[in-house]
Amino acid sequence: MADVKLMIAGRPYDVHCADGEEAQLRQLAAVVDEKARGIQGGTEVRQLLFAALMLADDAQEAKGKADKAEPQSDSLRAAVALAESREAAARDELRAAVVREQAALKELEALRAAPSPSPARKPANDRALLQIADRIEALATKVEQIP
């Protein structure tokens, strides 16, 4: 146990507290002293009574503000959970799109490697198919870079 000397409203008080709590006790006493000194007139007991009432009012007001803020934090937690859920769904959709794209690329490569079944194909069509294949490959590269 520690002994602490406090000055409140101009009067000394000897108080016992647990070891290590002396600094906090001094800070609290300073708050009470400030409130008590702000009350003019009356006895020391009356000053301390009103200081205690004002501090109790401050504490009640702070509790009311904390109670009002709690539902807002619940709403924020719900919004974060929804956003995380939507992000997970979007990642799943992106993975599925990558799988579909890879399958399309494999099919395209197989078509490129296969001999042309009909001699009636025109070079313009082949050029268009190659341009489409190049675009698909460019998109695949971009998709692979997305985390």
Side-chain angles (χ1 to χ4, degrees):
M1 272 313 221
D3 292 326
V4 180
K5 278 203 182 273
L6 304 174
M7 288 294 287
I8 299 176
R11 183 162 187 211
Y13 292 92
D14 292 321
V15 180
H16 302 293
C17 67
D19 290 332
E21 293 183 358
E22 299 90 349
Q24 182 181 3
L25 185 58
R26 285 187 184 100
Q27 288 176 337
L28 294 172
V31 171
V32 173
D33 183 52
E34 181 182 338
K35 290 286 186 185
R37 287 181 185 272
I39 299 168
Q40 299 298 320
T43 65
E44 175 186 345
V45 172
R46 194 165 181 78
Q47 284 179 311
L48 292 176
L49 170 67
F50 280 108
L53 288 171
M54 288 191 302
L55 290 169
D57 183 53
D58 291 347
Q60 190 173 24
E61 186 178 321
K63 185 182 180 321
K65 287 180 182 178
D67 289 345
K68 286 180 184 176
E70 194 171 309
Q72 291 175 349
S73 64
D74 289 343
S75 296
L76 290 175
R77 278 190 217 102
V80 167
L82 178 62
E84 288 172 345
S85 171
R86 287 182 178 169
E87 178 189 17
R91 284 187 185 278
D92 290 344
E93 286 180 33
L94 181 60
R95 285 187 191 106
V98 167
V99 168
R100 287 191 306 270
E101 181 182 20
Q102 289 172 346
L105 282 173
K106 285 181 184 176
E107 186 178 334
L108 181 62
E109 288 173 10
L111 289 173
R112 279 184 178 169
S116 178
S118 69
R121 283 178 63 180
K122 296 181 182 174
N125 290 343
D126 289 345
R127 201 172 331 115
L129 286 174
L130 289 174
Q131 288 175 346
I132 291 171
D134 290 340
R135 288 181 185 164
I136 289 174
E137 288 174 4
L139 284 173
T141 303
K142 287 181 182 178
V143 168
E144 289 171 356
Q145 294 172 354
I146 297 174

